[in-house]
Amino acid sequence: MKILVAVKRVIDYNVKVRVKADQSDVDLTNVKMAINPFCEIAVEEAVRLKEKGIASEIIAVSIGDKKCQEQLRTALALGADRGIHIETESATGSLSVAKLLKAVVDEEKPELIMLGKQSIDSDNGQTGQMLAALAGLSQGTYASEISLDEGRVSVTREIDGGLQTLSLSLPAVVTTDLRLNEPRFASLPNIMKAKRKPIDVKTPEQLGVTLTSTITTLKVEAPAERQAGIKVASVDELVEKLKNEAKVI
Amino acid sequence: MTTLIVADHDNTTLSASTLNTVTAGSALDGDVHLLVAGSACQSVAEEAAKVAGVSKVLVADHTAYEHMLAENVSLLVRDLSEGYSHILASTSTDARNIMPRVAALLNVEQISDIIRVESQDTFARPIYAGNAIATVQSTDTVKVITVRSTGFDAAASDGGSAIVEPVSIVHDAGVSSFVGAELAQSDRPELTAADIIVSGGRGMGNGENFELLYAVADKLGAAVGASRAAVDAGFVPNDYQVGQTGKIVAPNLYVAVGISGAIQHLAGMKDSKVIVAINKDEDAPIFQVADYGLVADLFEAMPELEGKL
């Protein structure tokens, strides 16, 4: 089976973001960028399915400017077979991304499409579901375990009260939660090999998708700062403060 | 203009987060309708009809909607969307699963996890794990939105007298089916609605030591949460997790025990009214957001705290 994995280039998860002085966005100049952690888990799961002999080919796709080819190379170094880069200049909303991915799905006809459950920059958590809707496919979001069996995929999902297991007909869209797996590190030989793997560059026009956005960001602000607190010396003092000063117990 | 809210429930009771979403819906200055989609969910519909500020309750009662499968419920919401200016749901895992699908079927964007309504087309939402707040404006004809419960007060659960109207539309896309669920059992309050939360991190050492937190939590009538480190180490189930990828909470009192305070954890709790940190590392980042910090060994401090409550 063919697996399509979508990966996004985002700010490294350890970086504390700073809002630009003009409130237009967060400042991403000279900031460390990386593959979105949830996308990395999606790549890892696809590679594991290939190692088990279930998947035959893994295609990694990324949408954005030229620099997102770095993240495609990372996916290739982790074990994806080839990459597709859809080159766009501006930031793209979830619906447009889903439309672009739908066009790739129509061309490549994968049986399983894997995405992260959310990107850690916009924190939207929409793309997988939107893609499934546009392509008319079943969806297994927040997956912490998946298993494939006779044309169906069984997905254990992390839900508010615990876990839920669904059975989906293929092709299906699965979005990964953190507990699905622990991604491997790319070895140096694999990073070298990844340089020779093909990346196909496409434009939205070639895929027949017009990028539009109905959402405008008016401003981006830093959240309200918390007042600096105090250190207490003992449990007695803590209980006394909570009772009499903060009045929360 | 009228707002449709997709109610969050378990076929027996309406979730508390739906009440917060009603408040967000009421802030849009129009009628608020609630959709209860489920199976044998009459008691939820009755509860929904009493919520203050709701004028109509639509009830789609069919086995196809029993487990809120996104493929089925999204088609139902799409069919009902005509005439609504806004479609809202609380940011529960069910809504996060369904609503983007609804938006795509309607060919509109979705606005996730709003914390403020600025006007009928402008909303504030956190991005970058809560380290920035974006104000966004939408020109979509119908605005599909998920609402962060902790951003809005709860509407009164009684005093309303909405009309209840059955919906006969049945969609079974036939591409997904429910196999089973494994739900965590707990007598303590639900994490996202709790007034007080006691949370443990890697510093707890193991699952048995969480008994120290349960003891304190029971004295305070608090819920128990955890950091990702504690969940990954298997100390507690994953639905305890507070943070960017877990639950977002904003209780009156949040007690962080043995939690260092990584960006991703702070994203889930830094809007709490009072934060207490108990940690033996005085340089732990959690102390930078804590109102009261106690530098101490939690294995000594927690039993002492329990004894003094």
Side-chain angles (χ1 to χ4, degrees), chain A residues 158-163 179, chain B residues 184 191 231 237-241 247:
Chain A
E158 301 206 356
I159 59 167
D160 283 337
L163 299 170
R179 265 164 294 276
Chain B
L191 200 51
V231 172
N238 65 277
D239 52 302
Y240 279 53
Q241 188 182 327
K247 296 197 169 89

Side-chain angles (χ1 to χ4, degrees), chain A residues 99 121-124 126 129 137 139 141-142 163 165 167 169 214 216 218-219 221 226 230 232 245, chain B residues 71 96-97 101 107 110 112 125 128-129 133 135 137 140 175 177 179-180 182 244 270 272 291-293:
Chain A
K99 286 178 179 173
D121 51 0
S122 59
D123 280 334
N124 278 319
Q126 305 168 352
Q129 296 89 314
L137 302 177
Q139 69 184 47
T141 51
Y142 318 127
L163 299 170
T165 304
S167 170
S169 60
T214 50
T216 318
L218 302 181
K219 63 178 173 186
E221 300 163 281
R226 284 193 78 94
I230 56 160
V232 294
E245 198 176 275
Chain B
E71 296 83 354
R96 273 152 52 196
N97 191 34
R101 203 166 168 118
N107 194 28
Q110 188 207 249
S112 296
R125 58 177 302 264
Y128 292 91
I133 308 295
T135 304
Q137 187 170 37
D140 282 320
V175 291
S177 57
V179 177
E182 207 178 300
Q244 186 182 19
K270 70 185 163 107
S272 304
D291 299 281
Y292 302 106

Side-chain angles (χ1 to χ4, degrees), chain B residues 44-187:
Chain B
V44 182
E46 283 163 23
E47 231 182 300
K50 289 188 208 134
V51 176
V54 176
S55 60
K56 193 199 272 188
V57 176
L58 300 169
V59 186
D61 192 333
H62 194 275
T63 49
Y65 305 133
E66 185 175 359
H67 300 289
M68 295 298 268
L69 295 175
E71 296 83 354
N72 302 349
V73 179
S74 61
L75 293 170
L76 169 73
V77 179
R78 180 202 60 190
D79 285 0
L80 292 172
S81 66
E82 178 112 23
Y84 288 105
S85 56
H86 297 75
I87 303 176
L88 269 54
S90 61
T91 313
S92 64
T93 45
D94 274 341
R96 273 152 52 196
N97 191 34
I98 295 164
M99 296 294 271
R101 203 166 168 118
V102 170
L105 292 173
L106 295 171
N107 194 28
V108 300
E109 297 275 3
Q110 188 207 249
I111 306 172
S112 296
D113 213 17
I114 63 163
I115 54 169
R116 264 199 320 272
V117 172
E118 304 281 358
S119 72
Q120 289 170 7
D121 64 2
T122 307
F123 310 91
R125 58 177 302 264
I127 53 175
Y128 292 91
N131 287 301
I133 308 295
T135 304
V136 296
Q137 187 170 37
S138 163
T139 55
D140 282 320
T141 47
V142 51
K143 286 147 187 83
V144 178
I145 295 168
T146 59
V147 177
R148 180 177 288 200
S149 308
T150 57
F152 298 87
D153 293 333
S157 58
D158 53 19
S161 54
I163 51 166
V164 178
E165 197 175 284
V167 174
S168 58
I169 306 165
V170 177
H171 280 289
D172 190 348
V175 291
S176 57
S177 57
F178 174 81
V179 177
E182 207 178 300
L183 301 178
Q185 300 298 327
S186 171
D187 299 331

Side-chain angles (χ1 to χ4, degrees), chain B residues 165-240:
Chain B
E165 197 175 284
V167 174
S168 58
I169 306 165
V170 177
H171 280 289
D172 190 348
V175 291
S176 57
S177 57
F178 174 81
V179 177
E182 207 178 300
L183 301 178
Q185 300 298 327
S186 171
D187 299 331
R188 294 189 188 85
E190 201 219 340
L191 200 51
T192 50
D195 194 42
I196 301 178
I197 295 173
V198 182
S199 254
R202 197 194 305 271
M204 297 306 296
N206 61 46
E208 283 85 70
N209 290 337
F210 262 73
E211 293 296 337
L212 297 169
L213 299 195
Y214 298 144
V216 170
D218 290 343
K219 283 247 167 124
L220 293 168
V224 174
S227 69
R228 186 185 164 201
V231 172
D232 280 352
F235 301 172
V236 288
N238 65 277
D239 52 302
Y240 279 53

Side-chain angles (χ1 to χ4, degrees), chain A residues 22-239:
Chain A
D22 67 359
Q23 297 197 331
S24 60
D25 203 349
V26 300
D27 194 352
L28 293 179
T29 44
N30 299 322
V31 167
K32 188 180 173 202
M33 301 294 278
I35 187 168
N36 181 44
F38 293 100
C39 302
E40 202 175 1
I41 291 167
V43 174
E44 174 67 30
E45 196 65 18
V47 173
R48 289 186 188 191
L49 289 171
K50 195 177 176 197
E51 286 168 348
K52 282 184 201 156
I54 295 169
S56 53
E57 187 184 27
I58 302 167
I59 307 155
V61 55
S62 193
I63 298 163
D65 64 16
K66 276 205 169 57
K67 287 181 183 154
C68 72
Q69 289 201 9
E70 287 170 31
Q71 278 61 48
L72 277 176
R73 289 287 169 207
T74 307
L76 295 174
L78 292 170
D81 297 294
R82 61 185 168 95
I84 298 173
H85 171 212
I86 303 170
E87 198 170 343
T88 60
E89 269 165 34
S90 54
T92 315
S94 306
L95 186 62
S96 296
V97 169
K99 286 178 179 173
L100 291 166
L101 293 175
K102 149 95 173 39
V104 176
V105 167
D106 288 345
E107 272 184 15
E108 297 285 349
K109 306 216 168 16
E111 280 175 274
L112 191 62
I113 302 131
M114 303 209 55
L115 301 90
K117 74 163 178 179
Q118 75 190 66
S119 63
I120 59 161
D121 51 0
S122 59
D123 280 334
N124 278 319
Q126 305 168 352
T127 307
Q129 296 89 314
M130 286 183 160
L131 170 61
L134 297 175
L137 302 177
S138 56
Q139 69 184 47
T141 51
Y142 318 127
S144 60
E145 203 183 322
I146 67 171
S147 63
L148 284 128
D149 187 32
E150 290 175 16
R152 294 188 81 84
V153 56
S154 163
V155 180
T156 300
R157 308 176 54 230
E158 301 206 356
I159 59 167
D160 283 337
L163 299 170
Q164 179 194 65
T165 304
L166 301 180
S167 170
L168 311 174
S169 60
L170 294 175
V173 174
V174 172
T175 74
T176 63
D177 216 315
L178 277 175
R179 265 164 294 276
L180 182 59
N181 61 48
E182 187 125 341
R184 68 193 67 191
F185 291 99
S187 65
L188 188 59
N190 284 345
I191 293 170
M192 300 310 288
K193 263 187 242 163
K195 291 186 176 165
R196 294 196 301 272
K197 290 182 179 174
I199 292 180
D200 196 6
V201 181
K202 292 177 189 283
T203 62
E205 294 74 41
Q206 284 171 332
L207 293 166
V209 177
T210 314
L211 301 184
T212 52
S213 183
T214 50
I215 293 187
T216 318
T217 300
L218 302 181
K219 63 178 173 186
V220 174
E221 300 163 281
E225 289 280 324
R226 284 193 78 94
Q227 294 291 319
I230 56 160
K231 288 230 170 101
V232 294
S234 66
V235 171
D236 280 321
E237 193 186 344
L238 177 63
V239 173

